[in-house]
Amino acid sequence: MPTIYQLKSRFQDLLRPLCGRLAAGGVTANQITLTALGLSVLEGLALWLFPGAVLPLILLPLVLLIRMALNAIDGMLAREHDQKSDLGAVLNELGDVLSDAALYLPFAVLPFVSAPLVVGLVLLAIVGEMTGVVGVQIGASRRYDGPFGKSDRAALFGLCGLLMAFGLTAPLLYQALFGAGLALSAVTIWNRARAALKEIRQA
């Protein structure tokens, strides 16, 4: 199913010159992964400590874009500059789910947002990423099937951050947006599990 993840190759093409310079300068994939996690935690702390404040909310889309770029760069450093490692694989997967939790759980403290919806969305995001990794465990590829992967979650929460920063605080709006995200997350889990099993059967 369609997902923003499908644009990843074009995004990587834009970042490849920067990636080459970082590799030449001795920057490692693991350093980039930890930088992305640290940035996410700092932004998450700002959202949690200052709930509803304009500056953290309006910075969220920028932070999410930078995080997306860093995630693309660490992958390219690993694959294209011979920096693959077992530690890097662990950091990459854990960094993604920890970053999601840090950035998105603070939305649950906002009075006009349904906390159960946000918490449920973060939990399903974790299950979705775990389902993608389980594909490798059973002999398939790491699954990134949509319709609601990491990039799509970032788009949803970035949009919500902008809307809130500009004063849109209607509870019904966020119930609809996060409710849709919850449903799409469930479909994503199903699609990733099904695709991994299908890949195994066709092998």
Side-chain angles (χ1 to χ4, degrees):
M1 296 182 70
T3 173
I4 294 175
Y5 181 78
Q6 293 172 338
L7 301 175
K8 183 177 180 180
S9 61
R10 296 180 186 176
F11 192 46
Q12 288 176 329
D13 289 341
L14 293 174
L15 294 170
R16 190 159 279 110
L18 173 60
C19 182
R21 289 195 292 271
L22 291 172
V27 177
T28 69
N30 291 350
Q31 288 171 341
I32 296 295
T33 303
L34 292 173
T35 299
L37 176 59
L39 176 65
S40 300
V41 169
L42 287 175
E43 171 66 8
L45 280 173
L47 290 167
W48 178 62
L49 292 172
F50 307 101
V54 171
L55 185 58
L57 287 170
I58 210 164
L59 283 177
L60 180 61
L62 177 61
V63 169
L64 289 169
L65 181 61
I66 293 172
R67 176 198 167 194
M68 194 180 304
L70 292 173
N71 286 341
I73 288 170
D74 70 7
M76 287 190 291
L77 285 172
R79 290 187 306 273
E80 299 174 10
H81 297 275
D82 197 27
Q83 294 188 19
K84 281 187 177 181
S85 67
D86 293 337
L87 175 60
V90 172
L91 289 176
N92 188 58
E93 295 295 345
L94 287 180
D96 281 345
V97 295
L98 291 174
S99 293
D100 274 8
L103 288 166
Y104 305 150
L105 283 177
F107 280 80
V109 305
L110 297 171
F112 50 88
V113 171
S114 169
L117 280 179
V118 172
V119 173
L121 188 47
V122 172
L123 287 175
L124 286 190
I126 293 171
V127 174
E129 296 309 313
M130 183 184 72
T131 306
V133 174
V134 166
V136 178
Q137 191 175 15
I138 65 174
S141 59
R142 199 325 186 163
R143 302 305 311 183
Y144 294 99
D145 307 85
F148 204 66
K150 178 176 63 177
S151 302
D152 307 286
R153 286 192 298 274
L156 173 64
F157 279 93
L159 171 64
C160 289
L162 277 180
L163 294 176
M164 293 172 186
F166 286 102
L168 293 175
T169 58
L172 187 60
L173 171 63
Y174 299 106
Q175 286 179 9
L177 289 173
F178 290 133
L182 199 67
L184 291 171
S185 295
V187 174
T188 298
I189 293 169
W190 170 264
N191 284 342
R192 290 183 179 183
R194 183 179 61 177
L197 292 171
K198 181 179 179 181
E199 185 180 340
I200 291 299
R201 288 194 297 268
Q202 293 177 343

